[in-house]
Amino acid sequence: MTRIELPKDAIGKINSMDFCSYVAVEKQYLDKALNGLSKNKIKGKYFRVFEK
């Protein structure tokens, strides 16, 4: 399992809906979060991750 290792302070509001979730991430950690989440599995599944 690969960990992204973002600090707690870099994660902001999490809005979870039926079929998608939005997570606020500080701009300085955005590339690290996008690359880490798009290339690794979460609970055995790949997810689409993008900047909005």
Side-chain angles (χ1 to χ4, degrees), residues 19-51:
F19 295 102
C20 66
S21 296
Y22 295 95
V23 179
V25 178
E26 286 187 16
K27 285 186 179 184
Q28 65 187 23
Y29 297 105
L30 184 61
D31 289 334
K32 186 176 182 179
L34 287 173
N35 288 334
L37 290 171
S38 64
K39 294 178 182 176
N40 295 303
K41 293 180 181 180
I42 300 172
K43 293 188 177 181
K45 296 182 181 181
Y46 287 107
F47 289 88
R48 290 184 295 176
V49 181
F50 53 90
E51 178 181 359

